[in-house]
Amino acid sequence: MRSSTIAATALLALTLVGCSDVEDAAKGAASDAACSVANRTMDEAGTQAKQAVSDLGADPAAAKRELTALRDGLKTLEGQVDGETGGKVTEARKALDRLVTQADAAREGSPVDDQAVEDAQADLDTAIEDFTELC
């Protein structure tokens, strides 16, 4: 009787370890999938921001709309990632905030601060690269 109890306990322990491994694998797969989606979102934000910035002088209202949409998309992503990766999303969103400010100023007829645009674009690119390395 005692040996069957020990055998049953050992079997239960092995089963629980197996469940834990399956659970860990599922969490890992979900995390990988989330990173993949987040990476695509960040890459698209960078690509589309470059296009919007190139249109800043010709159509500042359209550039502002595009940059605002990208910024708002990253705000949503901010709520879904945390830790260091979340910090990189925040950095990218803040860079887009600065680009929106420049687009808004251009839309109102003020000259674009080319240095501010370059700095914000560089910060956005850096945040995206860092995010990609982390995730």
Side-chain angles (χ1 to χ4, degrees):
M1 178 77 169
R2 182 167 188 214
S3 64
S4 62
T5 302
I6 292 172
T9 303
L11 181 60
L12 179 60
L14 287 174
T15 302
L16 291 176
V17 167
C19 287
S20 177
D21 290 345
V22 169
E23 183 179 318
D24 289 345
K27 284 180 184 177
S31 178
D32 290 347
C35 270
S36 177
V37 169
N39 269 323
R40 279 196 306 266
T41 301
M42 291 286 280
D43 285 340
E44 276 187 39
T47 300
Q48 291 176 6
K50 284 180 184 147
Q51 182 60 45
V53 166
S54 71
D55 293 341
L56 195 57
D59 191 351
K64 181 183 179 202
R65 281 190 304 274
E66 180 68 22
L67 292 167
T68 299
L70 294 170
R71 180 200 57 204
D72 293 348
L74 290 188
K75 278 183 184 178
T76 301
L77 184 59
E78 273 181 295
Q80 297 174 9
V81 293
D82 56 4
E84 201 171 350
T85 53
K88 297 304 173 185
V89 174
T90 298
E91 288 175 20
R93 194 245 329 133
K94 287 180 179 179
L96 283 169
D97 279 339
R98 296 192 334 256
L99 290 171
V100 167
T101 299
Q102 288 301 312
D104 195 38
R107 187 183 58 80
E108 292 175 354
S110 298
V112 173
D113 181 344
D114 292 331
Q115 188 61 51
V117 170
E118 286 178 31
D119 291 346
Q121 189 70 53
D123 289 348
L124 176 61
D125 291 343
T126 299
I128 292 168
E129 288 170 16
D130 292 348
F131 181 88
T132 301
E133 289 176 13
L134 290 169
C135 197

